[in-house]
Amino acid sequence: MDIPYVGHTLEINDEEKLVINTRGLDCTTFVETVVALRLCDREGRYGFDDYCDMLQKIRYGESDTVAYWNRNHYFVGWLAENEKKGYVERITDSLYHTAKIDAEINFMSGHVESYKMLNAHREWVPKIEDMERRVTDLHYPFIPKDRVENSETLRELIHDGDILALTTEIPGLDTQHIGFAHWREDGLHLMNASLLHKRVVIEEKLLYDYLQGQKKMTGVIVARIR
């Protein structure tokens, strides 16, 4: 809690390296940091090298190769890769009344100039396009935002600490923001590295109200650290 929000923390080098920064987090690195720590604890591995190894495994694709084109840039791809590795599992599939992401994922290849490293290495674009096609084919289910209510069903299925990925209708993207579930008496809240608050916080608004205030957000994918 209260660690400062710092954007673009993985885009600081000319070539891809395993960036480790626990002093400033964006929404993605906040989730990755917590997941890596939790998995290290699960496996009884408490050295710094163990943490680096785990972070590399969850941040990158099947081969664990530290390469820009092998980084899990889209959350749905991140989730699919980490399901294969046995680190997380989807919970959204257990819910009724879900919709499915049915959009062409191509934001990075369509906005190369917005990505410092990709813009400097345009030879990587075909590999990014390959990754985007794989993510497009996944069609993951999500809970529409008008159904993220304080119900017994949701309380039974979503646990404190579950990963919440907020889906979006922004063309070319799958999700817009990620964090963790935090239940209070009044309902479900989002723990996240917040650009608005400039730090890691638990939002005072209910997740339902948070989503209603974001016009481009459509709902939430739920996953759990195994």
Side-chain angles (χ1 to χ4, degrees), residues 125-144:
V125 172
K127 290 187 176 182
I128 294 296
E129 290 174 331
D130 287 342
M131 176 190 64
E132 290 174 332
R133 281 190 286 270
R134 292 195 299 272
V135 174
T136 295
D137 289 342
L138 291 171
H139 299 297
Y140 270 22
F142 66 93
I143 309 168

Side-chain angles (χ1 to χ4, degrees), residues 36-172:
L37 288 169
R38 178 67 190 94
L39 290 170
C40 281
D41 181 58
R42 182 188 78 174
E43 297 183 6
R45 301 172 61 195
Y46 300 115
F48 181 67
D49 288 344
D50 297 322
Y51 170 74
C52 296
D53 178 61
M54 186 61 72
L55 187 64
Q56 181 172 327
K57 287 178 177 176
I58 66 173
R59 181 172 291 168
Y60 294 95
E62 190 171 355
S63 66
D64 300 336
T65 302
V66 177
Y68 186 88
W69 48 265
N70 195 45
R71 196 198 311 165
N72 296 313
H73 292 277
Y74 295 94
F75 178 78
V76 165
W78 184 97
L79 181 52
E81 289 294 338
N82 284 291
E83 279 186 296
K84 290 177 189 175
K85 295 175 182 181
Y87 297 150
V88 297
E89 59 185 334
R90 279 180 287 167
I91 302 303
T92 318
D93 288 2
S94 304
L95 300 171
Y96 295 105
H97 307 302
T98 56
K100 286 199 173 184
I101 294 175
D102 189 22
E104 185 176 358
I105 307 304
N106 57 14
F107 193 88
M108 291 181 68
S109 60
H111 300 80
V112 173
E113 66 284 351
S114 299
Y115 295 86
K116 176 186 171 184
M117 291 175 66
L118 186 58
N119 193 39
H121 295 275
R122 289 185 173 246
E123 68 274 15
W124 297 343
V125 172
K127 290 187 176 182
I128 294 296
E129 290 174 331
D130 287 342
M131 176 190 64
E132 290 174 332
R133 281 190 286 270
R134 292 195 299 272
V135 174
T136 295
D137 289 342
L138 291 171
H139 299 297
Y140 270 22
F142 66 93
I143 309 168
K145 64 182 180 181
D146 60 348
R147 296 186 179 275
V148 184
E149 54 204 5
N150 188 14
S151 66
E152 286 187 17
T153 300
L154 231 57
R155 281 187 177 270
E156 287 176 4
L157 288 168
I158 301 177
H159 298 173
D160 280 340
D162 282 350
I163 301 166
L164 303 178
L166 310 185
T167 54
T168 184
E169 62 182 15
I170 294 174

Side-chain angles (χ1 to χ4, degrees), residues 138-221:
L138 291 171
H139 299 297
Y140 270 22
F142 66 93
I143 309 168
K145 64 182 180 181
D146 60 348
R147 296 186 179 275
V148 184
E149 54 204 5
N150 188 14
S151 66
E152 286 187 17
T153 300
L154 231 57
R155 281 187 177 270
E156 287 176 4
L157 288 168
I158 301 177
H159 298 173
D160 280 340
D162 282 350
I163 301 166
L164 303 178
L166 310 185
T167 54
T168 184
E169 62 182 15
I170 294 174
L173 284 178
D174 54 346
T175 61
Q176 196 172 336
H177 192 47
I178 57 175
F180 291 102
H182 179 78
W183 283 102
R184 291 179 176 170
E185 187 175 347
D186 62 345
L188 183 60
H189 294 253
L190 178 68
M191 177 185 286
N192 68 133
S194 168
L195 174 61
L196 176 64
H197 299 293
K198 308 297 184 189
R199 57 195 173 92
V200 176
V201 299
I202 298 171
E203 297 290 343
E204 287 302 315
K205 287 183 179 180
L206 289 167
L207 179 60
Y208 177 90
D209 295 327
Y210 181 95
L211 287 167
Q212 305 313 310
Q214 301 288 334
K215 290 183 179 180
K216 295 291 186 180
M217 290 183 182
T218 57
V220 59
I221 295 172

